[in-house]
Each structure stands twice: as C-alpha cells, then as structure tokens.
C-alpha cells in the first residue's frame, strides 16, 4: 500500500477505477446486446436456463461486502482471465462454424474480448498500485474443456456471456468500492452490499 | 596494321560477350559490372561507384580500367572524378548526389575510338523520412455501436522515395494490427476501437534511406469521441404561449458516455441563432423546455452533444425542427395616423384613418379585426361611434372639430391596449425645430430638435418625390423622447420629402418638411440650353429645370460654358433656381457654342451643345442709321422742293425753256381787242413783235359752226385735249418739270396724234380763245414760226397706241381728266359727271367748239381759266362743293352761243385737210 500513499498513485488509482467502472458498464451493455444477437444467431431460446458451465467463474459470492480490495481485484482478475480464454475459444469456434458468413457476431465477440482484456489490464494495474504481486497465468490457463458438441458449445457460449454480464455488474461495484478513500487500505468496507 | 585488326577483334569480342545468350537463355557474362548495384542515395551525400572489368575481357579484349569512361545519361563524367584503382577497377566519385542522374554507365573506349558500354546502374536519390509530427486522433461515431478512429499527422518533407507510413497503436498488453493509409500519407482510420483503455498511438515512416517514428499519443479513445448528434428531435408547444418543449434521442447509451448538450433556436426566417445557456443543458437528458419565447411564433431548434466532461468533440448540429408557440393577446396597439382631406362641404372633413398592422411579435396571433372608436371632443355629449374594420384603414366623413380616435386590435385570445390619436381642429402647436437628415449606409437618419413643450409622439411622413406621379406617403410613429429615426427602404438617388409632426397631449404641431437624398449622384442628364434672344453683344439663354428623376441629387448650381470656335471657354456659374441667363460682352457676328452643366454634390453632367451667332448690329443701330438718313433725305427733298418752289421761275427759265407758243406770240396781238393786255414778258422777250413774218388769219363765223365737218374740227378737238390736259398744270410739254407727273404724260397721249400729223410738217399755231384773267378773251390764231415739235417725242409711242379710235380716245381722255382731278373732285361728283358725259356724247362737237373758243387762252394755268368758268358752271354743279374743279364736260350744259364767241381765224388749210409747210 506504499504506492497508494503518493498523490500520483492515488490519482492513478482513481483514474483506473473510474475508467474500469465505465469499461465494465460498457462491457455489460455490449454483452447484453451481444447476448441478444448470439441467441438469435445460434437459434437458442433466450429464456433457456443454462447450468453452470465448467471453468466459468461465478460472479455471485457470499459475504461480498466483507471482501478486501485486493481480494476483489484478485477474484476479478481471475474471472476475466478465464473469460478472456473462453471468449477466445468462442470466437475461434464461431469462425469455424460460420466462417465469414456472420462477421457482425464475430466482430462483436472480438470487441467484448478486447474489453475483457482491457479490464484485466485495469485490474493488473490496480494490483500493481496495491503493491501486490500479480498472479501469473497458470501455464496454459484452465484445462482445456472437453470436446463438446455443437449445441453444447452454443449453450456454453450462452452461459459465458450471461456470466460475463453478471461479472460486469459486480466488477463495477467492486471498483466503486475500491475507489472510495477508505478502500485504499485494503480493508473490507463497512457497508453490506451485495452484487 | 596488326593493332587495328586487334582492336576490331576486341570490339567484336565485346559485342559477342555482351549480346550473346548463354546456355541458360540470358545474356552472356558481360565484361564488367558496377558496384553498388542500383543504389538509393541520400540527396546531397557523396557517392562512389566502382566499375570492375572481368579478367576474361582483359585477356582477350585487351581492355583496361584506364580506358573506362563514366557517363550519366549521355553526359560524360569529367575524368577528374575518375580514379583507376587497378587495371580492372575504375572508380568515380560524386561529391553531391544531386548532380546524379540515371543511368550511370561504365563504358570502354575500344581502340581509342569505339565506345562500348560495359555496364549501367540505376541511381535513386532521395531523402530519409522525417519524424511525423502533429499526430492527432478523433473517434467518429458511425452508428450506435460503431466507432472509428481517424488519426492525422504531418508526414514531413517529400522524400522523393517510396515511403511507407504506418499508424500503430497498442495497449500495454495488447498490440493491434497497424493501420496503413491508402492513397494518402498523412491519415489513417482505425475501425476496432475500444474505450476506457489508454491506447498508445504513434506513426512510423520508413523508406530505403531510413525510418522515423512520431511521438506517441496516449489517449483513451472515449476522450476523443465526436458523437452523432441527437436524433428524432421533436418540438411541442405547451400551455404557456412562451414555451416550447424539445425531445430527442441519444445515440450513445449512458453506459458508454454521458452527454451534455447545446440547444440553439431562432425564429423561422431569421438568421441569428439564440442559444439556451449551456449550464442549463450540461447534464444528460433527452428533453428540454425552452422558455421566454414569443407567442405565436415559429421557432427552429437544433441540438448537439458531447461527452459530459468536455473531453472530445461536439457533435454536428442536429437537423432543424420547428415548432410554433401558442397565441397570446396583442402586446400593443397598432400605430395610427390620419390624412385629412378637404370635403365637399367646407364645414366637414374627410378623415382617412390608417394604421400599421402589428408586427408578429406584437400581434401574438392572427388579428381578427380592428375596433375603431371615434369621440367628438368638441361636443362630449355626442355618442361614441364604433367601427369594426378588418383592413388597416378607414375613412370617415366628420364635421370639422377635435376628435379622439381609439384603435384596438383583437385576436383569438384577446384585445390589444388601445392606440389613441387626437385629431385637433387645427395644428396650432409648435413644430419641431432644426429638422435635418443624414445618410447612414442604407438608411436615412432624420433628426430634429424637440419643441419646448412635452411631446407625446412624433409622426414622420416621407414620400418619394416624383414629377410624374403623386407622392405616395409612408409614415412612422416614434415616442416623444426620440429625436431621430432611421428611415428604411430609402432608395439612393431619389428625392424624398420628409415631414415631422409633433403630437401633444392636447393637440398637434404643424409639420416641418425637408427634402433629402440617401445618396446623391451626378445628374442623369444635363440641361438643354437654347437662346431666347440673341443680340450683338449679348444672348439670353434659357433652359428648363431637370426633372426630379433626372437630378439624382440637389442641384447646387448650373454652369454655363460657352466659347467661340477658336476661343477659350468661358465658364459662368448660375444659381440653380434660375432658368434664364444673359451672356454679355459677346463679340458681334460670331458663332458661339454654349453648353450647360448641372452639378450636384457628387458630380456634374453636361447637356448638349447649342450654337448661336451674335448679330452684326445691335438693337437700334440700324434704326439709328436709317432714320437719320431718311430724315436727312426727306429734309433735302423738302428743301429742294422749297427751293424749286421759290425758284420755280428761275428753274423754269433754265431748265424748262419756254416752248414758243404761237398763241402768245406777239404777232397775235394784232388782234384789235387785246394787244395791250398781252403782257407776258417772257413771250414778249422771246418773241418780240416784228419777229413774225407771216400770219394767216382765218375768220370763223359762229353761225357756220355746223358747216364744219368733224374732220375739219379734229384739230380743234386735239387742241382742246391739249388744253384739258394742261389743266391744273403749268404745261403738258416736257414732263420734266418739278410739278409734272406721269399722269400728265398719259393724258397727253391724245395730243400725240396731232403731233404726229403736224410736228414735222406744220408750224405751230396758237389759238387764243380767252383773255388772261380779267382780260377780254382774244380769239387769235397765231401761227408760229418755230419748227420745234410741240410734244415730246417720248410720248409718241403711247400716242400711237391710243389714237386708234377717236371716240374711245375721247372717253379715255375724260376719264383721265377726271382722274387727274381726283384731288379736287369727290368721286360721286365724278361719277355723276361721267354719266352726264355719256349721256351727252353726241354734243361733243359743241363742246369742242367750246374748248376751242373758251379755254385755249391760258396754256400756263388752267386753274385760272377754271376760275373764270366757275360762275357760269355753278348752276350745273350744285352737288359739288364750292371750289371744286369744274369739269369741262359740264360746260355743255351752258354752251356758249355762237354770238358770244369772238371771231377767230383758222388756218386756211384746215378745210383743205391741214397745213402746208410755209
């Protein structure tokens, strides 16, 4: 937390938080739009319930308000790194399935992927300001998912996007918590707030 | 000889070496090559090239580096730049590559004469790229989710080489594909933009001579967005007449970017925009109510937006949307004025009320009608008269008096405040003072000084003055605290008549007028001058005033320019009010050219030339010469006449010699009765007694009158005529006397016949029939010794013509005689006498006798004889006044009897038909 003491670090932190919040908002809006497109393009039912997908981190957490700032950042970073891998896989599968026939969906996926990467970058920068080591990505990342059928791939993609939308909301709230002056200490906020 | 053949063989070998295809299909190995091969050189640097000859050529062709010639294009490089490194290598050095050109060739001068090309290279000269500068980027929103980033930069100087520019951008952990501009070298557009991450952007420029990078630009693309302008803008009116509500949609969701707005609006047709205060629209929104608008006015609105924090760019203005505020009651009454015209009845007026339609911002709606109320202030008991009018004027016939007119405009919401106009019976109040005008660009400012009294309002009337049409009046009302207004719509070069009336609370002041121009020009034509009167040294010039349309300004003066053909031009300035001018001190009998110029403040225009010639003599000069000359001539004539009259005897003596008159010859005095009374001295002197040598005397018996034939009496008749002709004259002979007249000559014509018969052959005889004055008539026939013709020869021709018919001659004679007496005889008398003559024509014989016997004694003065006859004839001529000439023909009424006639002697030859020369 030494870095947080300097004014420039505080400004940098605030700027990163602010930018990250807005990025999370933009990411949520884009993911919501993308979900509609994705459901339509993949021929899925928007109301279909998708069971938890393996490898996709869950945004919901208990005792969220008791988490420290660093903990929030680390959970977010892990989640978005996972989303980055999942989205990259989805983009590859999308290209394999549709080729260049539906470039719009591919561009939207690529844009969301970039946003996820950018958000992960924001988190890493914040962790650096927290003077915390950035956890390295685990080798090749999460273990490669088992080979799925096409329908299962579509459902998994739907689950990834829905969960990403949830994470976008949670991330925005996490960063708001971090942006508060008291949050700079890394202690858990007093207010109980649930994502 | 060997050497020559050797060189020929060498040249042939070189050609074969260069041109012969080898086994692979290409050229055979050449005799040398240049290093470096096709270099790219920096402009201004130095450069050295080497030409290396193949050993094979050395052996066979006997060629060496010393024979190498370097050429640029077809120009030989100076040998000072060569250096022979060894026998197979030659170098050339250029200190400045700017002198290089393509191709650079290495050549061999074979046999000292034949130049063969060994090798050639292409040299490219250029510059390394400069560091790109001024890199800037903007993110354009293309659609709701699409953004593109366009970056521009300054590429630097021209490199003369193919230079590649790349726009590069990256995140710390993400490198994006480069953006390579197409067709340009100073901008590139990136399509995959992600917001909320700082992106490093820079430009790389590279060519064969080097590479350069711009300074990096680190920016979050969300901070350089130019969003799309709000869409679906709509305008709706609310309950209040001064409010309109705008609604719109934003292209960007709040999740991406919150926006602030600018709202501008204007009245439709107006060019000036008004803007809602920015702080009122600095927060995200999708609607806004614009207040303080004018009622019933159409407004156009436009909106733009940008990122709320002010980073980035304003969007373009949205498409204009219009809306109309609701109506409100008119805010003021219409300005009202009047024109009072004389009515048929002197006790009444024709009042033309006129008012201006309210301006839209005053009417606040559609004016449905005007309510005019007229109140007679001179008789308050009279009821008010109300009129509902839909036009903007109303005419009333009113008795003369003081009236108060109230006007109200009404729309669907309500009525305006009333406008009141007081029409006094007379404009007896003080007028404005110091009325003046001043042009201001396209407006004419009218100013005045207020009267001492408090003025409610001023009315300014103006109209375009025209010579061909009436002055169409325009008017304007201003408040009483204003002392000048700008008149709009004033045309330049036109004359305006401006009148200002002050309106008081209790009356109206008389109008003050002034003429003015917004802008003056020189007249469109010059005056046409002409002369009214031209004298010897002066000329009166006249001209007409230019019409007001031709003046184009105030005519300050007229200038008359006149000159003779070869003289200097004289300039005279004339007051513009005049239309006539007299040029003086002109030269007489000289052609002058005159023209006239009219001048305004802005120039002059000259009219056509007019020429005139001054007179040779001045007024009265001719009269002054002619009248004295005439008077002098008349005086001389008069003096001559007087002289002649006084000296008539002397003149007669010298100029008019006395023709010997036989009747007065002294020989006739032998008549026993009157010798002593013949006292004509002249005759006595001219013809003294005893000078007559032969006299024949014939005695005529009175009783034998009838025995004479007419033929015998003819000579007497002729003599009678002679006497008659001589009546009133001194003599019928000569005609050159002072008292003679042409008539006399005519009347003597009858005499010519006799003269013709006797002048050359018969000596004259004078028959004295009567005595002189109171003397007893002596009837004497004298025969003259003279052979001088009795009548002047100049009368003979007339005599011949007139002697054809004796009867006619007689009548003519009498007429002539009568005419001769016109001075003495009234015409009636003459006519009567003539009738008488005709009636008694048959008695001519007796008359002839009478003539012969009674009138021949006084050849010098028949008047005397006439007097002697008056007494005898007075009974006959009762109708004539006393003293009138007695006509001979009247004598026949009182013929003398034969007894009374004295005995006379006729020439003896009469009866025998004439005299014979003696």
């Amino acid at each position: 937390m030494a870095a947080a003491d300097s004014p420039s670090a505080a400004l940098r932190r605030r700027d990163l938080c602010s930018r990250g919040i807005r990025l999370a908002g933009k990411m949520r809006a884009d993911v919501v739009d993308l979900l509609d497109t994705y459901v339509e393009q993949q021929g899925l039912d928007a109301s279909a319930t998708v069971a938890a997908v393996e490898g996709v981190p869950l945004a919901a957490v208990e005792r969220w308000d008791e988490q420290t700032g660093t903990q929030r950042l680390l959970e977010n970073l892990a989640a978005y790194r996972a989303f980055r891998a999942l989205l990259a896989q989805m983009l590859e599968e999308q290209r394999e399935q549709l080729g260049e026939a539906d470039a719009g969906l591919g561009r939207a996926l690529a844009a969301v992927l970039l946003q996820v990467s950018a958000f992960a970058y924001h988190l890493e920068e914040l962790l650096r300001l927290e003077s915390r080591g950035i956890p390295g990505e685990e080798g090749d990342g999460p273990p490669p998912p088992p080979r799925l059928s096409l329908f299962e791939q579509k459902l998994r993609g739907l689950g990834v996007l829905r969960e990403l939308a949830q994470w976008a909301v949670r991330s925005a709230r996490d960063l708001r918590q971090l942006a508060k002056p008291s949050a700079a200490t890394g202690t858990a906020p007093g207010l109980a707030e649930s994502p | 000889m060997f050497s020559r053949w050797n060189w020929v063989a060498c040249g042939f070998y070189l050609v074969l070496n260069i041109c012969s295809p080898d086994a692979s299909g290409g050229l055979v190995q050449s005799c040398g090559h240049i290093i470096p091969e096709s270099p790219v050189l920096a402009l201004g640097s130095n450069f050295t090239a080497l030409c290396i000859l193949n050993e094979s050529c050395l052996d066979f062709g006997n060629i060496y580096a010393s024979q190498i010639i370097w050429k640029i294009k077809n120009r030989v490089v100076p040998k000072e730049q060569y250096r022979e490194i060894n026998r197979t290598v030659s170098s050339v050095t250029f200190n400045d590559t700017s002198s290089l050109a393509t191709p650079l060739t290495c050549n061999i001068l074979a046999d000292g004469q034949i130049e063969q090309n060994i090798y050639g290279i292409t040299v490219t000269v250029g510059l390394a790229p400069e560091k790109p500068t001024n890199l800037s980027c903007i993110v354009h929103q293309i659609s709701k989710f699409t953004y593109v980033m366009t970056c521009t930069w300054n590429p630097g100087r021209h490199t003369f080489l193919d230079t590649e520019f790349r726009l590069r951008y990256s995140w710390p952990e993400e490198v994006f594909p480069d953006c390579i501009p197409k067709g340009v070298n100073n901008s590139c557009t990136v399509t995959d933009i992600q917001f909320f991450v700082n992106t490093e952007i820079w430009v790389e420029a590279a060519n064969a001579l080097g590479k350069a990078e711009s300074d990096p630009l680190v920016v979050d693309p969300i901070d350089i967005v130019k969003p799309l302008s709000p869409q679906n803008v709509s305008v709706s009116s609310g309950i209040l007449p001064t409010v309109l509500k705008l609604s719109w949609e934003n292209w960007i969701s709040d999740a991406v970017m919150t926006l602030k707005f600018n709202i501008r609006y204007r009245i439709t047709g107006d060019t000036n925009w008004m803007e809602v205060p920015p702080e009122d629209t600095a927060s995200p929104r999708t609607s806004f109510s614009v207040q303080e608008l004018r009622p019933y006015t159409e407004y156009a609105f436009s909106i733009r937006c940008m990122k709320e924090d002010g980073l980035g760019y304003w969007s373009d203005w949205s498409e204009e949307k219009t809306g109309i505020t609701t109506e409100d009651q008119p805010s003021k009454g219409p300005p009202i004025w009047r024109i009072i015209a004389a009515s048929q009845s002197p006790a009444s007026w024709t009042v033309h009320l006129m008012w201006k339609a309210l301006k839209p911002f005053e009417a606040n709606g559609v004016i449905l009608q005007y309510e005019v109320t007229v109140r007679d202030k001179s008789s308050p008991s009279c009821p008010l008269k109300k009129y509902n009018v839909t036009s903007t004027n109303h005419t009333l016939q009113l008795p003369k008096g003081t009236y108060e007119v109230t006007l109200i405009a009404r729309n669907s919401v309500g009525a305006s405040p009333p406008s009141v106009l007081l029409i006094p019976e007379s404009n007896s109040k003080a007028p404005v003072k110091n009325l003046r005008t001043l042009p201001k660009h396209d407006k004419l400012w009218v100013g005045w000084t207020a009267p001492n009294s408090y003025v409610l309002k001023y009315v300014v009337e103006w109209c375009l003055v025209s010579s061909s049409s009436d002055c169409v009046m325009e008017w304007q009302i201003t408040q009483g605290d204003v002392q000048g207004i700008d008149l709009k719509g004033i045309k330049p070069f036109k004359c305006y008549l401006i009148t200002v009336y002050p309106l008081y609370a209790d009356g109206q002041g008389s109008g003050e007028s002034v003429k003015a121009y917004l802008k003056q020009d020189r007249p469109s034509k010059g005056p046409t001058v002409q002369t009214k009167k031209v004298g010897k040294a002066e000329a009166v010039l006249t001209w007409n005033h230019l019409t007001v349309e031709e003046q184009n300004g105030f005519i300050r003066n007229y200038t008359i320019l006149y000159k003779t053909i070869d003289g200097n031009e004289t300039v005279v300035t004339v007051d513009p009010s005049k239309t006539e001018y007299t040029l003086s001190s002109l030269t007489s009998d000289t052609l002058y050219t005159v023209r006239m110029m009219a001048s305004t403040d802005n120039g002059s225009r000259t009219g056509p030339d007019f020429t005139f010639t001054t007179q040779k003599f001045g007024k009265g000069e001719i009269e002054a010469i002619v009248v004295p000359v005439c008077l002098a001539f008349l005086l001389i004539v008069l003096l001559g006449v007087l002289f002649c009259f006084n000296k008539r005897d002397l003149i007669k003596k010298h100029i008019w010699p006395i023709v010997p008159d036989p009747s007065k010859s002294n020989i006739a005095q032998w008549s026993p009765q009157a010798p002593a009374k013949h006292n004509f001295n002249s005759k006595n002197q001219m013809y003294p007694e005893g000078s007559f040598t032969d006299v024949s005397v014939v005695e005529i018996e009175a009783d034998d009158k009838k025995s004479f034939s007419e033929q015998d009496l003819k000579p007497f008749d002729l003599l009678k005529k002679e006497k008659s002709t001589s009546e009133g004259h001194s003599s019928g002979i000569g005609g050159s006397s002072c008292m003679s007249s042409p008539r006399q000559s005519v009347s003597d014509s009858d005499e010519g016949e006799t003269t013709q018969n006797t002048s050359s052959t018969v000596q004259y005889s004078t028959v004295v029939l009567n005595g002189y004055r109171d003397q007893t008539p002596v009837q004497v026939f004298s025969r003259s010794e003279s052979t001088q013709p009795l009548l002047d020869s100049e009368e003979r021709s007339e005599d011949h013509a007139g002697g054809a018919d004796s009867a006619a001659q007689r009548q003519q004679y009498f007429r002539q005689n009568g005419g001769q007496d016109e001075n003495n005889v009234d015409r009636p008398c003459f006519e009567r006498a003539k009738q008488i003559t005709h009636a008694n024509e048959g008695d001519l014989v007796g008359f002839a006798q009478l003539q012969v016997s009674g009138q021949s004694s006084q050849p010098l003065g028949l008047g005397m004889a006439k007097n002697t006859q008056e007494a005898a004839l007075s009974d006959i001529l009762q109708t004539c006044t006393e003293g009138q000439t007695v006509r001979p023909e009247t004598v026949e009424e009182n013929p003398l009897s034969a007894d009374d006639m004295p005995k006379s002697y006729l020439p003896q030859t009469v009866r025998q038909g004439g005299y014979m020369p003696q």
Side-chain angles (χ1 to χ4, degrees), chain B residues 871-892:
Chain B
L873 298 175
S874 59
D875 296 338
I876 302 169
L877 302 175
Q878 288 176 354
T879 56
C880 295
T881 57
E882 191 175 357
Q884 286 177 330
T885 303
V886 177
R887 296 186 176 275
E889 51 265 52
T890 60
V891 177
E892 66 182 0

Side-chain angles (χ1 to χ4, degrees), chain B residues 660-668 670 687 691-697 761-767 780-786 905 907-909 915-918:
Chain B
D661 189 349
S663 67
K664 294 182 178 61
S665 63
N666 291 336
I667 198 168
W670 52 263
Y687 308 103
S691 64
F692 295 93
T693 56
D694 188 11
V695 176
S696 297
V697 178
T761 57
V762 180
Q763 292 180 329
Y764 290 117
S765 296
T766 300
V767 180
V780 177
F781 284 87
S782 297
R783 181 177 179 184
S784 174
E785 294 294 331
S786 173
Y905 294 94
Q908 293 176 342
T909 57
Y915 287 102
M916 293 295 290
Q918 294 179 0

Side-chain angles (χ1 to χ4, degrees), chain A residues 71-160:
Chain A
Q71 190 178 358
R72 295 176 194 275
L73 289 174
L74 289 172
E75 285 188 5
N76 273 272
L77 180 59
Y80 281 97
R81 280 179 174 173
F83 280 122
R84 185 165 59 190
L86 290 169
L87 286 171
Q89 186 179 355
M90 283 177 62
L91 188 59
E92 186 178 351
E93 291 170 354
Q94 178 70 26
R95 285 172 182 161
E96 288 175 358
Q97 293 169 16
L98 301 175
E100 298 298 325
D102 192 353
L105 182 60
R107 281 198 299 272
L109 276 171
V112 171
L113 176 58
L114 279 175
Q115 290 171 357
V116 169
S117 299
F119 197 78
Y121 166 72
H122 275 95
L123 296 173
E124 291 171 358
E125 288 295 303
L126 284 169
L127 283 170
R128 286 194 190 94
L129 287 175
E130 296 287 336
S131 300
R132 297 298 298 260
I134 300 172
E137 297 194 44
E138 299 172 359
D140 298 333
R147 191 67 185 172
L148 300 175
S149 66
L150 182 60
F151 182 72
E152 288 172 335
Q153 289 177 6
K154 291 180 179 179
L155 284 179
R156 189 189 61 184
L158 182 60
V160 169

Side-chain angles (χ1 to χ4, degrees), chain B residues 404-672:
Chain B
E404 184 181 83
V405 179
T406 304
L407 178 66
I408 291 173
R410 187 178 293 278
N411 64 12
S412 62
V413 176
S416 70
S419 295
V420 179
L421 175 66
L422 183 68
I423 304 177
E425 190 166 4
S426 63
N427 298 339
S428 57
K429 302 290 183 180
V432 298
K433 294 177 282 188
N434 193 22
L435 181 61
R436 58 204 181 274
T437 62
L438 183 65
K440 285 184 177 178
H441 302 293
D442 59 339
K443 299 173 186 174
L444 185 64
W445 179 81
V446 180
W448 59 86
T449 302
N452 296 328
S453 306
Y454 174 71
V455 177
L456 282 179
K457 294 178 181 177
Y458 293 99
V459 176
V460 182
E461 288 181 353
W462 70 94
C463 66
L464 177 64
V465 180
S466 170
S467 60
S468 58
S469 60
D470 292 336
C471 209
V472 180
M473 192 191 73
E474 296 180 68
W475 57 278
Q476 184 175 337
I477 290 183
T478 67
Q479 294 303 312
D481 56 348
V482 174
Q483 294 190 13
I485 61 168
D486 289 327
L487 302 184
K488 298 177 183 176
I490 301 296
K491 300 174 184 172
F493 318 130
K494 301 292 184 186
C495 182
Y496 285 87
L497 178 65
I498 301 164
T499 307
V500 177
Y501 298 91
L503 303 185
Y504 299 93
D506 56 348
Q508 177 181 317
S510 57
E512 284 289 304
S513 297
V514 66
K515 284 185 176 179
Y517 285 86
L518 174 64
K519 191 177 178 183
Q520 296 190 50
D521 195 4
R522 63 177 188 155
S524 56
K525 62 175 287 190
T528 300
V529 64
Q530 57 186 358
T531 54
K532 180 181 179 182
K533 184 180 178 185
V534 177
K536 179 184 177 184
E538 70 282 332
V540 180
L541 303 178
T542 62
W543 60 91
N544 291 326
H545 284 306
L546 297 176
T547 64
V548 70
E549 288 84 2
E550 294 167 343
Q551 290 180 5
N552 291 338
F554 292 114
I555 300 296
R556 298 304 182 193
N557 57 57
Y558 290 118
T559 305
I560 299 172
L561 306 101
Y562 65 98
K563 63 175 182 178
T564 58
I565 291 177
D566 52 354
N568 292 329
E569 195 168 58
T570 306
V571 177
V572 178
T573 301
V574 183
D575 187 87
S577 62
K578 294 185 176 178
T579 57
E580 185 174 309
Y581 184 80
T582 302
L583 299 178
S584 57
S585 303
L586 302 179
T587 307
S588 63
D589 195 22
T590 303
L591 179 66
Y592 279 89
T593 300
V594 62
R595 58 200 169 98
M596 196 155 182
M597 184 168 68
S599 302
T600 66
D601 291 338
N602 285 54
S604 305
R605 181 82 73 173
T606 305
D609 286 353
F610 182 80
T611 57
F612 66 90
T613 305
T614 52
Q615 293 184 351
K616 196 167 187 177
F617 298 101
K619 179 183 178 182
E621 274 189 8
I622 295 177
E623 289 83 351
I625 295 171
V626 171
V627 170
V629 169
C630 291
L631 289 176
F633 178 74
L634 288 175
L635 186 63
I636 292 170
V637 169
L638 185 61
L639 290 174
V641 170
L642 289 174
F643 179 79
C644 291
F645 185 76
N646 290 334
K647 301 295 184 181
R648 62 184 181 279
D649 294 337
L650 187 62
I651 293 170
K652 184 177 178 182
K653 176 181 177 183
H654 290 285
I655 299 175
W656 186 9
I658 297 173
V659 177
D661 189 349
S663 67
K664 294 182 178 61
S665 63
N666 291 336
I667 198 168
Q669 292 180 2
W670 52 263
S671 174

Side-chain angles (χ1 to χ4, degrees), chain B residues 64-115:
Chain B
Y64 302 99
S66 59
Q67 297 166 331
I68 289 176
I69 296 173
W70 291 91
K71 292 179 105 176
I72 300 173
K73 282 193 173 176
N74 294 320
R75 182 169 55 87
V76 177
V77 178
K79 293 196 173 181
E80 292 78 17
Q81 297 177 230
Y82 301 172
R83 194 164 73 89
E84 183 181 352
I85 295 173
N86 54 39
R87 70 185 193 116
T88 61
V89 178
S90 174
S91 70
V92 64
T93 301
F94 300 91
N95 292 328
D96 188 352
T97 52
S98 60
S99 62
L100 275 171
T102 294
L104 174 64
T105 56
C106 172
N107 307 276
I108 281 289
L109 197 61
D111 198 18
Q113 294 175 345
I114 303 172
E115 186 178 300

Side-chain angles (χ1 to χ4, degrees), chain B residues 108-285:
Chain B
I108 281 289
L109 197 61
D111 198 18
Q113 294 175 345
I114 303 172
E115 186 178 300
Q116 284 294 330
N117 177 254
I118 299 297
Y119 202 78
I121 59 171
T122 300
V123 179
T124 305
V125 179
L127 294 169
E130 282 188 318
K131 177 182 173 182
T133 56
N134 296 334
L135 174 63
S136 64
C137 297
I138 179 170
V139 176
H140 292 279
Q141 185 183 15
I142 304 302
S143 65
K144 188 168 185 177
F145 302 109
T146 309
Y147 300 85
V148 297
M149 182 175 69
T150 300
C151 296
T152 57
W153 60 88
N154 179 8
R157 66 190 177 189
H158 182 49
T159 62
F160 307 102
L161 300 173
D162 290 335
T163 303
E164 186 183 59
F165 288 86
R166 288 173 177 267
L167 177 69
R168 310 191 71 177
Y169 60 105
S170 67
W171 289 346
E173 297 179 344
E174 188 84 34
V175 177
F176 298 98
D178 295 342
C179 177
I180 300 174
K182 294 176 181 175
V184 294
N185 62 356
N186 63 343
S187 70
C188 196
T189 299
V190 178
T191 56
D192 51 346
I193 294 299
Q194 295 302 321
F195 295 135
F196 310 115
V197 182
N198 282 334
T199 305
E200 184 177 0
I201 306 168
W202 71 100
V203 178
E204 279 185 6
N207 64 14
L209 294 176
K211 187 170 74 172
E213 286 186 359
S214 70
D215 293 332
L217 172 68
V218 180
V219 63
D220 182 350
I222 198 68
D223 293 336
I224 53 174
V225 171
K226 180 182 180 182
L228 287 173
S229 55
Q231 62 176 342
N232 297 332
V233 179
S234 62
V235 183
S236 58
S237 57
I239 299 174
L240 295 175
T242 59
V243 175
L244 284 175
K245 183 180 180 182
L246 271 73
S247 299
W248 64 90
E249 295 176 9
N250 294 319
W251 285 99
I252 298 179
S253 68
D254 289 344
V256 176
M257 189 165 65
T258 54
L259 300 172
K260 66 178 181 180
F261 303 89
N262 275 172
I263 299 174
R264 65 178 184 178
Y265 60 97
R266 64 181 176 183
I267 296 172
T268 302
D270 200 351
T271 56
N272 298 322
W273 287 98
M274 294 165 283
E275 196 161 322
V276 174
E279 56 270 22
D280 293 351
T281 54
S283 57
R285 62 181 64 239

Side-chain angles (χ1 to χ4, degrees), chain B residues 308-374:
Chain B
E308 187 181 8
D309 57 8
L311 297 175
Y313 300 89
W314 282 105
S315 70
D316 295 329
W317 286 102
S318 69
E319 186 183 1
E320 291 183 26
K321 289 291 180 181
T322 59
I324 303 176
T325 51
T326 54
E327 286 193 27
D328 196 3
Q329 62 184 21
S331 60
K332 61 175 285 189
I336 184 172
W337 185 232
R338 86 294 176 273
I339 294 177
I340 297 177
S343 179
Q344 292 180 347
S345 169
S348 65
W349 278 336
T350 299
V351 179
H352 300 283
L353 295 175
M354 50 191 179
W355 53 90
K356 292 182 183 296
L358 291 171
K359 294 172 183 173
F361 64 89
E362 297 168 338
N364 293 338
V366 178
I367 299 299
L368 301 176
Q369 69 174 18
Y370 299 96
E371 293 177 6
V372 180
T373 305
V374 180

